[in-house]
């Protein structure tokens, strides 16, 4: 179980670094808002984060 938690944490950090490298600070804000919204079960906050990430992805594509 601890190994799975370490691997999951490492993947989360790697994903966060990828978002920051590719999309800058706004990507981190969107990712954090989405993660906090999911953890807190707050659909409005999570939705705002998802919209920010979708707008960044649409802009780069």
């Amino acid at each position: 179980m601890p190994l799975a938690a370490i691997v999951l944490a490492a993947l989360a950090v790697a994903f966060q670094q990828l978002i920051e490298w590719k999309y800058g600070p706004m990507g981190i804000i969107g990712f954090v808002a989405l993660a906090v919204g999911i953890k807190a079960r707050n659909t409005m906050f999570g939705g705002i984060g998802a919209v920010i990430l979708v707008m960044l992805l649409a802009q780069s594509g």
Side-chain angles (χ1 to χ4, degrees), residues 42-54:
N42 185 339
T43 56
M44 187 180 85
F45 205 66
I48 290 170
V51 167
I52 291 171
L53 288 176
V54 167

Side-chain angles (χ1 to χ4, degrees), residues 1-11:
M1 182 71 173
L3 180 62
I6 291 171
V7 169
L8 187 61
L11 286 174

Side-chain angles (χ1 to χ4, degrees), residues 3-32:
L3 180 62
I6 291 171
V7 169
L8 187 61
L11 286 174
V13 169
F15 181 71
Q16 182 180 2
Q17 291 297 320
L18 176 70
I19 294 279
E20 184 177 0
W21 169 71
K22 188 158 178 133
Y23 301 110
M26 204 60 186
I28 290 297
I29 291 169
F31 179 70
V32 168

